[in-house]
């Protein structure tokens, strides 16, 4: 192809204005938010929007119970606390996820134990799970990463065999299905995030789901200071029975989430259509590896990650160098690409330093006397491989459609038809950020 790459001064294929913003606001959002303002009730566990959202999300997922929370992280923490994970207990977490999956384990003074991911779906690898289980293991937290269901059947079977709780991090997977069942409802508890980027958006907030009345009750106590409620009057007793937090949501985010929930299936359908279109077309380019959706599953594509393989593309370069060079060239063509997590979660300083609460807690806790914990990124080759070689393509979220994604495919073709030139610019003083924006360096 003779078209000049934008990175060498040619015309870019896309403009920023080709991209439409998330979230998609409708009259349903306006209606529920107006209800809040008209009612004058802006907060409280029994607020009408919070209560309605809980019922509607329980119905949507098929879970028996749902509680709104102030964040997905809070919902994850409630799950651990509700099943009595405590000081010195070990909790298994995938090597590639958002920090909160692992940090909420620390919040219970428990110790995250990482297990590597599966190379096709980037979810917790069940084949590596049993080797990580010890007599101190209490729970497993699979993550439905980027909207892709974790392989729950073997995970649940191993959990049952070893008498472990399964708490699902479904913060990126609203509406994702594993073999006909809704992600987030397969373990003892599930956590969803309502933050502004997630498939179901409330601005901020979260949702905690469970089928267990005990876990609901305990989760609810953890959500609100551990304060007991009078069973008859539902009045707060101002008498905390356990250690709790302040993890409630508010009416405005709950109202927005209700409006968004009405359209979730349709919004997810757009994500799936855009993603499948990209996978069909990008998959034809040697060296581009699209994401996979496991058999009998519904992937809801919170993010769309591709990996680059320099060898398959005919380029003699390290995977990281190749990925960075391709990202730069794509970004210059106007394609919003960029990495979300850049390293296995355990490579972050908070785990490497093991300072924790100070004095190296929880790792230095009495319950873990004689045990040496170490977090070596080299023990997680699949997560490392992923972080070297992947980028997210930010064109799949609604209201963007195929028109935008056709241009994205054209830009990929242009870049991959000129890889020699792309590599000439590998060291250009420009960096692609998480959101696809370009940042100059130096
Ligand atoms: C977003 C997210 C969370 C945390 O959700 P917040 O609402 O931001 O607290 C936890 N885990 C994963 C995998 C997430 O993507």
């Amino acid at each position: 192809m003779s078209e000049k790459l934008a990175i060498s001064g040619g015309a870019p294929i896309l403009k920023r204005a080709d991209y439409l913003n998330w979230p998609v606001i409708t009259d349903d959002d306006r209606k529920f938010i107006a209800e809040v303002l008209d009612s004058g009730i802006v907060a409280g566990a029994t607020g009408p929007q919070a209560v309605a959202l809980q019922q509607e999300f329980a119905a949507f997922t098929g879970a028996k119970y749902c509680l709104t929370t102030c964040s997905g992280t809070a919902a994850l923490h409630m799950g651990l606390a509700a099943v009595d994970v405590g000081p010195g207990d070990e909790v298994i977490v995938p090597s590639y996820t958002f920090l909160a999956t692992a940090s909420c384990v620390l919040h219970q003074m428990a110790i995250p134990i990482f297990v590597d991911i599966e190379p096709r779906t980037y979810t917790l690898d069940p084949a590596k799970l049993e080797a990580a289980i010890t007599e101190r293991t209490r729970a497993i937290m699979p993550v439905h990463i980027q909207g892709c269901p974790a392989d729950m059947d073997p995970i649940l079977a191993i959990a049952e065999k070893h008498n472990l709780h399964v708490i699902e991090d479904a913060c990126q997977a609203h509406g994702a299905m594993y073999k006909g069942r809704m992600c987030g409802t397969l373990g003892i508890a599930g956590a969803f995030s309502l933050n502004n980027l997630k498939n179901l958006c409330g601005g901020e907030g979260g949702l905690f789901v469970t089928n267990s009345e005990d876990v609901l009750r305990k989760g609810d106590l953890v959500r609100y200071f551990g304060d007991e409620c009078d069973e008859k009057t539902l009045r707060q007793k101002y008498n905390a029975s356990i250690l709790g937090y302040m993890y409630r949501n508010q009416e405005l985010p709950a109202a927005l989430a209700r409006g968004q929930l009405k359209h979730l299936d349709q919004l997810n359908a757009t994500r799936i259509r855009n993603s499948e279109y990209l996978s069909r077309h990008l998959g034809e380019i040697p060296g581009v590896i699209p994401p996979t959706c496991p058999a009998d599953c519904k992937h809801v594509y919170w993010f769309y990650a591709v990996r680059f393989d320099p060898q398959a593309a005919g380029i003699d370069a390290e995977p990281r160098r190749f990925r960075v060079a391709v990202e730069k060239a794509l970004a210059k063509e106007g394609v919003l690409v960029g990495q979300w997590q850049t390293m296995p979660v355990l490579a972050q300083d908070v785990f490497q330093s093991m300072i924790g609460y100070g004095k190296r807690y929880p790792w230095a806790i009495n319950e873990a006397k004689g045990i040496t914990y170490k977090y070596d990124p080299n023990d997680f080759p699949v997560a490392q491989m992923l972080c070297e070689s992947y980028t997210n393509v930010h064109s799949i979220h609604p209201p963007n459609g195929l028109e935008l994604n056709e241009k994205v495919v054209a830009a990929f073709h242009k870049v991959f038809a000129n890889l020699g030139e792309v590599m000439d610019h590998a060291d250009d003083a420009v960096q692609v950020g998480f959101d696809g924006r370009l940042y100059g360096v130096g």
Side-chain angles (χ1 to χ4, degrees), residues 71-73 76 97-98 100-101 143 169 171-172 193 195 198 205 340:
S71 70
T73 307
L76 283 169
T97 180
F98 181 60
T101 322
V143 182
D169 183 339
C171 285
Q172 305 180 354
S193 169
N195 92 21
K198 300 291 164 68
W340 176 61

Side-chain angles (χ1 to χ4, degrees), residues 244-363:
Y245 302 84
M246 176 40 192
Y247 282 168
R248 273 188 186 165
N249 201 351
Q250 307 171 55
E251 289 291 275
L252 284 167
L256 179 55
R258 286 184 73 200
Q260 294 282 312
L261 181 57
K262 278 188 167 281
H263 300 270
L264 179 58
D265 279 333
Q266 186 198 328
L267 293 166
N268 279 344
T270 301
R271 286 177 187 272
I272 292 167
R273 192 165 69 120
N274 287 336
S275 299
E276 289 180 348
Y277 175 86
L278 283 184
S279 291
R280 214 160 40 244
H281 292 280
L282 299 183
E284 289 171 352
I285 303 174
V288 180
I289 305 163
T292 21
C293 176
D296 306 320
C297 288
K298 181 176 176 183
H299 188 321
V300 292
Y301 297 99
W302 174 55
F303 273 173
Y304 181 92
V306 287
R307 288 202 298 112
F308 301 126
D309 177 352
Q311 235 179 355
I315 296 294
D316 182 21
E318 290 297 310
R320 172 174 292 268
R321 186 171 167 76
F322 181 64
R323 185 259 302 167
V324 169
V326 171
E327 274 180 334
K328 285 180 191 181
L330 285 168
K332 284 282 186 180
E333 296 298 337
V335 183
L336 296 186
V337 289
Q339 285 201 324
W340 176 61
Q341 300 303 301
T342 61
M343 59 181 108
V345 64
L346 58 123
Q348 294 192 35
D349 290 347
V350 64
F351 298 106
Q352 292 299 305
S353 71
M354 285 194 182
I355 290 169
Y357 281 88
K359 302 184 179 172
R360 300 175 66 84
Y361 280 76
W363 299 279

Side-chain angles (χ1 to χ4, degrees), residues 47-335:
Q49 300 295 331
V51 169
L53 175 62
Q54 289 172 175
Q55 286 165 353
E56 287 158 7
F57 197 70
F60 176 80
T61 54
K64 255 193 190 151
Y65 309 108
C66 174
L67 294 170
T68 66
T69 65
C70 61
S71 70
T73 307
L76 283 169
H77 185 193
M78 279 159 54
L80 289 173
V83 300
D84 292 325
V85 165
D89 290 342
E90 293 175 359
V91 177
I92 292 174
V93 171
S95 55
Y96 179 78
T97 180
F98 181 60
L99 171 71
T101 322
S103 62
C104 70
V105 176
L106 300 179
H107 293 152
Q108 275 308 96
M109 207 57 102
I111 293 164
I113 301 294
F114 295 92
V115 165
D116 211 1
I117 52 171
E118 204 267 319
R120 289 177 63 249
T121 61
Y122 317 135
T123 59
L124 184 71
D125 189 343
K128 295 180 180 156
L129 191 49
E130 266 188 306
I133 295 172
T134 72
E135 71 270 18
R136 294 171 300 279
T137 312
R138 294 295 306 277
I140 306 170
M141 300 181 80
V143 182
H144 307 296
I145 200 82
Q146 315 252 54
C148 180
D151 195 0
M152 293 302 290
D153 277 347
I155 293 171
L156 290 166
I158 292 166
E160 195 180 331
K161 179 173 156 197
H162 295 271
N163 200 18
L164 306 174
H165 298 294
V166 173
I167 293 155
E168 292 172 80
D169 183 339
C171 285
Q172 305 180 354
H174 320 69
M177 311 270 287
Y178 179 79
K179 300 187 179 175
R181 290 168 291 165
M182 196 65 83
C183 290
T185 65
L186 299 160
I188 185 78
F192 295 82
S193 169
L194 294 175
N195 92 21
N196 63 324
L197 286 179
K198 300 291 164 68
N199 289 34
L200 180 64
C201 165
E204 297 281 7
L207 294 160
F208 172 86
V209 301
T210 183
N211 290 323
S212 155
E213 205 178 324
D214 274 358
V215 169
L216 171 77
R217 205 190 93 77
K218 187 90 183 284
D220 201 11
L221 275 179
V222 174
R223 184 172 68 146
Y224 200 63
F225 302 108
D227 199 350
E228 293 285 342
C229 222
D230 186 277
E231 280 183 15
K232 283 205 192 83
T233 62
L234 294 180
R235 283 236 176 128
Q236 200 179 332
K237 287 185 180 168
Y238 293 103
N239 179 17
S241 58
I242 62 165
L243 178 63
Y245 302 84
M246 176 40 192
Y247 282 168
R248 273 188 186 165
N249 201 351
Q250 307 171 55
E251 289 291 275
L252 284 167
L256 179 55
R258 286 184 73 200
Q260 294 282 312
L261 181 57
K262 278 188 167 281
H263 300 270
L264 179 58
D265 279 333
Q266 186 198 328
L267 293 166
N268 279 344
T270 301
R271 286 177 187 272
I272 292 167
R273 192 165 69 120
N274 287 336
S275 299
E276 289 180 348
Y277 175 86
L278 283 184
S279 291
R280 214 160 40 244
H281 292 280
L282 299 183
E284 289 171 352
I285 303 174
V288 180
I289 305 163
T292 21
C293 176
D296 306 320
C297 288
K298 181 176 176 183
H299 188 321
V300 292
Y301 297 99
W302 174 55
F303 273 173
Y304 181 92
V306 287
R307 288 202 298 112
F308 301 126
D309 177 352
Q311 235 179 355
I315 296 294
D316 182 21
E318 290 297 310
R320 172 174 292 268
R321 186 171 167 76
F322 181 64
R323 185 259 302 167
V324 169
V326 171
E327 274 180 334
K328 285 180 191 181
L330 285 168
K332 284 282 186 180
E333 296 298 337
V335 183

Side-chain angles (χ1 to χ4, degrees), residues 14 18 273-274 277 400-408:
L14 287 117
D18 291 330
R273 192 165 69 120
N274 287 336
Y277 175 86
N400 296 300
L402 295 187
E403 202 182 327
L404 174 67
N405 285 289
E406 278 169 19
K407 290 185 187 166
V408 169

